[in-house]
Amino acid sequence: DRNRTSPFAFTGNKFEFRAVGGSANVAVPVSFLNAAVADTFKKVTPRLKTLLSSKSSRDEGVMELVRELFREAKGICFEGNNYSAEWRKEAKKRGLPILDSSVEALEVLTDKKATEFLVTTGTLSASEIASRHHIAVERYNKTLEIELTTLLELIHTYVVPCVETQIGKTGLAHDHISGAQNKKRHSARLEALSSAMGEMLGQAESLEKALDKLRQEGDEEKKMKTLAKDIVPIAQKLRAASDSVEGLVANELWTLPKYREMLFADALG
């Protein structure tokens, strides 16, 4: 209902060009969709032939088949906002799967019933499906490990040093502030900086330990689930702590691009 299928959508006051990322091959989902359509045609063709033999016209037979198919598919039809909490609640009520992560989506490839149509249509063999699953799992793991390692490097070599410098300057300024009330108010800024840096260092340490332990795991499936369930949440907390100090550190001390600089680069030149 929000025009999500359009590659070049008009969204009220602008056009949006939508395309997959450079690392994503659109041929894969398109092949799966075409296979699903072909599999459905294969299954309904005998039913249509039976209906045509008993109806007075072709259109009558086709419409009867459409009615039957709609009744059969009613359990998955939803005309509201499929991104809403309402739909999640309704999907759960209907017993439909809710896939919240790449991990859950990739596991579908191991479901023989769910992937049977790919085999029956000759799109992929069972071994090819298994191969794609293993490759996707390995790629997920390697991508996440690279991203998490990069996050740690950014924290240790950019963010923490910036905060340290700011704490030094803020601490020096604090020593020169007069008046008990003014000192008390300024102490809150110093405490916010120190607290955020402590949170970053703590989460970074937890992330490093988790990654060290992960590298000892030889099962790629287990690595994927551990990354998604245990390690990514640590990285999110580390990122949140880093975000919190961006608005506290002086602009000339913050050596990374700020969000406002990335979002409004055209207006800052």
Side-chain angles (χ1 to χ4, degrees):
D1 73 322
R2 296 196 293 172
N3 204 16
R4 288 289 175 180
T5 56
S6 173
F8 197 58
F10 180 68
T11 56
N13 61 353
K14 64 185 182 303
F15 282 99
E16 292 181 1
F17 176 70
R18 296 168 180 164
V20 297
S23 63
N25 185 354
V26 73
V28 176
V30 169
S31 296
F32 285 13
L33 287 171
N34 286 340
V37 172
D39 184 61
T40 302
F41 282 152
K42 182 179 179 181
K43 290 177 179 176
V44 301
T45 296
R47 292 170 59 178
L48 179 59
K49 288 181 178 179
T50 300
L51 285 169
L52 290 177
S53 65
S54 61
K55 300 294 180 179
S56 58
S57 69
R58 183 189 66 179
D59 289 350
E60 188 179 350
V62 170
M63 289 306 299
E64 178 60 30
L65 178 60
V66 170
R67 281 191 288 269
E68 291 179 4
L69 293 174
F70 182 79
R71 284 194 292 268
E72 293 170 9
K74 194 174 181 180
I76 64 171
C77 292
F78 183 73
E79 298 300 325
N81 181 0
N82 287 7
Y83 295 86
S84 67
E86 176 194 2
W87 168 240
R88 293 175 66 86
K89 183 178 179 181
E90 182 63 25
K92 186 175 181 180
K93 180 181 176 182
R94 298 185 191 186
L96 298 175
I98 301 174
L99 308 179
D100 285 326
S101 66
S102 297
V103 173
E104 293 167 300
L106 289 175
E107 285 186 332
V108 176
L109 290 173
T110 65
D111 186 335
K112 291 184 178 180
K113 183 179 179 181
T115 58
E116 182 183 7
F117 74 99
L118 295 172
V119 178
T120 57
T121 57
T123 305
L124 292 173
S125 66
S127 59
E128 287 173 329
I129 295 172
S131 175
R132 285 181 177 274
H133 173 252
H134 292 316
I135 292 170
V137 169
E138 184 179 6
R139 181 177 296 166
Y140 176 91
N141 292 343
K142 286 183 176 180
T143 300
L144 263 291
E145 285 188 65
I146 291 171
E147 289 179 351
L148 294 171
T149 302
T150 302
L151 172 61
L152 285 170
E153 183 178 345
L154 288 171
I155 293 295
H156 286 308
T157 63
Y158 285 89
V159 181
V160 169
C162 291
V163 179
E164 289 172 338
T165 303
Q166 183 64 68
I167 288 175
K169 287 179 174 292
T170 305
L172 185 63
H174 186 75
D175 294 337
H176 291 80
I177 291 177
S178 60
Q181 190 65 26
N182 291 335
K183 270 190 174 294
K184 182 179 179 181
R185 288 169 177 163
H186 194 259
S187 292
R189 172 174 167 76
L190 196 57
E191 176 58 31
L193 285 163
S194 298
S195 177
M197 188 171 73
E199 175 69 10
M200 280 192 294
L201 292 174
Q203 295 299 339
E205 183 180 353
S206 297
L207 182 56
E208 287 165 345
K209 289 180 178 178
L211 286 174
D212 286 341
K213 184 177 179 181
L214 182 77
R215 294 183 182 109
Q216 308 305 314
E217 177 61 65
D219 188 316
E220 293 293 328
E221 285 272 352
K222 290 182 180 178
K223 285 180 71 172
M224 178 177 70
K225 292 178 181 178
T226 300
L227 276 165
K229 182 182 178 182
D230 301 325
I231 300 182
V232 168
I234 300 174
Q236 290 171 335
K237 291 178 182 177
L238 177 55
R239 181 258 172 89
S242 176
D243 286 348
S244 71
V245 296
E246 184 175 324
L248 297 174
V249 175
N251 194 58
E252 66 270 15
L253 299 181
W254 191 264
T255 53
L256 292 169
K258 291 197 171 187
Y259 283 119
R260 61 179 170 79
E261 294 170 345
M262 292 187 284
L263 290 172
F264 306 109
D266 61 327
L268 296 174

